[in-house]
Amino acid sequence: MCGLAGMVDWSASMAPDARERAVQAMSDALIHRGPDDSGIWSDDRATLGQRRLAIIDLSPAGHQPMVSACGRYVLSYNGEIYNHRSMAEDLRADGVTFRGHSDTEILLEAIALWGVERVLEQAAGMFAFALWDTREATMLLARDRLGKKPLYWTSAGGRLAFASEMTALLKLETTPRAIDRDALCLYLRHACVPAPRSILQGVHKLEPGTMLTFTASDQAQEMRYWDVRTIAMNGLNTPMAANDDDAVDAVADALGVAVRERMISDVPLGAFLSGGIDSSLIVALMQEESEQPVNTFCISFDEEGWNEGDYAKKVSQHLGTSHHELRLDPTRAIDSLDTVVGHADEPFADASSIATYLVSKLAREHVTVALSGDGGDEIFAGYSRYAWTQQTWDRIATWPRLLRRPVAALMRGLSWSGGRGDSLGHYGAVIGEATPEGIYRHTLSAWQQPTRLACDGREPAGLIWDTSLKHDVPDLMTRMQVIDVAGFLHDDILTKVDRASMAVSLEARSPILDHRVVELAFRLPRSIMQRDGRGKWPLRQILDRHVPSHHFDRPKRGFSVPVGYWLRGPLKDWAANLIESQRIEEAGFFDAKELRKIWDRHQAGSNRWANALWTVVMFEAWRDRHGFT
């Protein structure tokens, strides 16, 4: 696991030594992603930098940037190729010899022999990399299928710059610094900025499953080599012909392979354990493979209704892991906020990033690699909102449209009158939706109408507005999964885990997000995915083989923090200072009167606006931390 940075100057407007100093500054800003080693490679047009967190092959043979044996290609790479051993066997059969045993070298020599497209098709892993072709003078940027590892880039005037984090790009004076107000609207809805946009105009994120090839012009050739929409279409068109037992066994086998591959490490490893289905299953499979107790880590809370620490402890005791727990109270959360915001790169309002950072910090005291259960809800339809959306649509679809609109308006109006106002406003908005996708969009949105709060911005259309998705993916549950995998999973969940874990130089691995597991899951008969309105049925069946169901069979809580309570209590003064009216008016990003109305509503006891307010609070905290005005 590493951090990468680089520049290409086809215009020759920058002196080579100045280019090297600039890349070195970017690379130094990524030291938390790679504290073990660093390197710079340069020629007359390109400079690549790298920070290394050594996981596989701790020797100097794993040093980067790495030049291929033929001398044509130079690679700066961040990530892990989990099937690198089998790829190495194929390469040896083709006559390739290796200097070491790092997956970096295997990836590079595979590209040199087979070409990038074949390698991307074969590689199972999480990665982002930059590949300089010295013969063709082209720079290729590529990213893994699900978007585990980040890569930002900006290009203008015949000059390209890229890095694992936007904060590294900001070490360059030429990096644009104007906040993109359209992206701000997206942020208010999603609580993060969806790729390929970033919060800054002219700075882009490489999308998952994509590679970009840059030449001397500022235009890049894009190729999408994997996307979940196509995977879902193929799964619906050619579903697996299997009964329940065979389907569960197939998932168990695929997950077993994914876990075993992710336990390959030359440094200590453990796992996050919340006590839920996904993390408990991963830990159970790890412990089955391990001769020693697996190190497990969890966060617990003081607030009743949020604490899952006791469940994690019971699973740990049953499986025989070496368990470590950290109690999260508001004081500890406040103390960590500056660090969390500092490593967020962009405004990021998933409040569980605080807990994720602290559990990563706890894990790093004992291990360098931690496996997680990320992806179970998206890939195996575990969110309760899937069944809720379907049930709600089935009820209101029979209502006449002419009746639904005035009822929705009435309920939204009454929502400000107190009492059951939160639920009235919620259902009023839902009743007014014309499609099930509209209902689902409502459940995903922190702000239902971002442009009412954001000044001078227009919200770009994204997948949640794409009416053609219904044609390609006619099954509603699968459609919701596609929306989540292509958006929420990548832009929120995986971003959160990457930034939190990398802040403490911890590598996080997600077996459920092995692309082979994902492709299998979308081929399962839809009836197997959910039973009795509850998702993740195959995962429940597999976990039941290892852990008694009473340890995990309970309503899902999610890995979050009680931000609504905190904004009325221990974080109230801190948040109030950030969104004070004069400050908001002077900055000009938000409607100060609208924001004050929502803040007062929350302080009066409404819980409806907690997540919405948190997006504004975290945007303002980000502006303070990174010096944006």
Side-chain angles (χ1 to χ4, degrees), residues 380-430:
F380 289 92
Y383 289 122
S384 59
R385 61 184 183 239
Y386 294 153
W388 183 88
T389 298
Q390 182 68 70
Q391 293 163 4
T392 302
W393 175 248
D394 289 344
R395 285 196 297 268
I396 70 172
T398 60
W399 296 18
R401 288 289 304 279
L402 293 177
L403 175 64
R404 279 162 43 196
R405 289 177 178 174
V407 170
L410 176 63
M411 294 178 74
R412 286 196 296 268
L414 291 173
S415 70
W416 292 92
S417 63
R420 298 179 64 189
D422 285 349
S423 59
L424 282 172
H426 175 71
Y427 283 105
V430 167

Side-chain angles (χ1 to χ4, degrees), residues 457-591:
R458 294 189 299 176
E459 182 182 3
L463 187 61
I464 61 171
W465 301 95
D466 188 347
T467 56
S468 70
L469 182 60
K470 183 176 181 179
H471 175 270
D472 293 342
V473 185
D475 177 71
L476 176 58
M477 184 184 73
T478 307
R479 213 151 60 238
M480 291 185 284
Q481 288 181 270
V482 169
I483 290 170
D484 277 347
V485 173
F488 178 66
L489 176 67
H490 157 249
D491 296 313
D492 186 312
I493 301 298
L494 297 181
T495 298
K496 171 188 68 178
V497 174
D498 174 79
R499 303 307 191 274
S501 60
M502 285 286 90
V504 295
S505 307
L506 177 77
E507 176 172 303
R509 299 176 174 179
S510 307
I512 296 174
L513 292 177
D514 186 294
H515 76 277
R516 297 161 295 189
V517 174
V518 174
E519 291 172 3
L520 171 64
F522 277 100
R523 291 186 59 232
L524 294 176
R526 300 292 86 186
S527 59
I528 288 178
M529 200 65 78
Q530 285 192 342
R531 292 288 168 89
D532 302 321
R534 303 171 69 195
K536 295 194 285 198
W537 186 81
L539 301 188
R540 294 174 188 272
Q541 301 309 300
I542 301 169
L543 181 56
D544 195 44
R545 301 172 182 177
H546 302 272
V547 177
S549 61
H550 63 266
H551 284 327
F552 63 85
D553 196 6
R554 63 185 187 277
K556 179 179 175 61
R557 288 179 177 170
F559 188 57
S560 191
V561 299
V563 66
Y565 161 73
W566 286 358
L567 285 176
R568 282 193 291 267
L571 296 184
K572 178 180 177 180
D573 291 342
W574 172 78
N577 287 334
L578 285 171
I579 61 172
E580 185 268 328
S581 293
Q582 184 175 349
R583 169 195 166 99
I584 295 296
E585 289 177 357
E586 290 175 353
F589 292 111
F590 303 118
D591 183 322

Side-chain angles (χ1 to χ4, degrees), residues 15 46 59 70 119 236 261 310 385 387 445 506 574 589 600 605 607:
S59 75
C70 66
V119 171
L236 290 175
E261 288 182 344
D310 291 342
R385 61 184 183 239
S445 301
L506 177 77
W574 172 78
F589 292 111
D600 291 344
N607 289 316

